[in-house]
Amino acid sequence: MAAPHDGAEGAACQAMIERALASSAAVRTLMRAMERAGCPVDRAFFSCERCAQECQGGYDRARGVILCQQHMQNSRSLIEATMVHELVHAYDDCRAHVDWTDLKHHACTEIRAANLSGDCSFSQEFARGNFNLRAQQQKCVRRRAELSVAMNPTSQGTAARGVP
């Protein structure tokens, strides 16, 4: 997925991780929940890398949370939201042992992450140019889950529309 962090971009990403770990209640809450679930995580669980895919980050069972430094735009709120989103996946994996080759499992954790991370807040959607008056949250969650599941190698690039 990625190459190790480098240069000013990587240093900025690392600094934003440190700030999020120190100041984000949501990040700290999820880290405590993982510890209570038997999967403690620490600073080493988070890394910054240049990613080949067009995404903000990812979760890898063996490597932890990977933040795509070239997509962070020196945005504190973006890195915190991405960390929370990926920590939801890590928590789901710890608690429910997600089978990442099962698209239903993947869709379920994506739906939870989109809802719990703030990915689909009004302000986030407005910034993306999406502002529907009805069912905005549901449309956003579905769109983001479909995009993520479509990147799963098991899906072979197909959308998750058929996944209940």
Side-chain angles (χ1 to χ4, degrees):
M1 175 174 153
H5 75 86
D6 57 351
E9 192 176 73
C13 180
Q14 294 290 338
M16 287 188 290
I17 288 174
E18 296 300 333
R19 279 195 298 271
L21 290 171
S23 64
S24 173
V27 168
R28 289 193 312 268
T29 297
L30 281 164
M31 290 175 71
R32 282 192 303 270
M34 288 192 62
E35 184 172 357
R36 284 191 305 273
C39 302
V41 298
D42 59 13
R43 170 61 182 91
F45 192 70
F46 303 92
S47 65
C48 293
E49 301 179 7
R50 291 195 61 76
C51 302
Q53 294 176 307
E54 285 296 318
C55 60
Q56 294 163 336
Y59 164 70
D60 181 286
R61 183 177 283 150
R63 297 173 56 215
V65 171
I66 301 160
L67 299 160
C68 298
Q69 65 192 37
Q70 76 270 29
H71 301 301
M72 288 297 120
Q73 305 149 347
N74 288 331
S75 169
R76 181 178 177 174
S77 61
L78 181 59
I79 203 158
E80 285 181 21
T82 303
M83 288 172 70
V84 169
H85 180 104
E86 301 308 333
L87 279 167
V88 170
H89 293 321
Y91 177 80
D92 287 349
D93 196 27
C94 171
R95 181 187 54 81
H97 310 289
V98 175
D99 177 356
W100 295 99
T101 63
D102 183 329
L103 298 182
K104 290 179 182 176
H105 282 213
H106 190 167
C108 182
T109 191
E110 287 300 339
I111 289 165
R112 285 175 39 76
N115 273 309
L116 296 172
S117 69
D119 286 345
C120 293
S121 69
F122 179 79
S123 60
Q124 288 283 12
E125 279 294 271
F126 187 78
R128 292 183 190 113
N130 298 319
F131 31 84
N132 296 303
L133 294 177
R134 294 203 301 175
Q136 178 63 48
Q137 172 82 10
Q138 295 90 333
K139 290 176 184 176
C140 173
V141 168
R142 181 180 185 105
R143 183 182 72 252
R144 294 186 63 81
E146 286 176 353
L147 288 169
S148 185
V149 171
M151 291 184 351
N152 184 321
T154 305
S155 77
Q156 300 174 342
T158 59
R161 295 183 197 280
V163 178

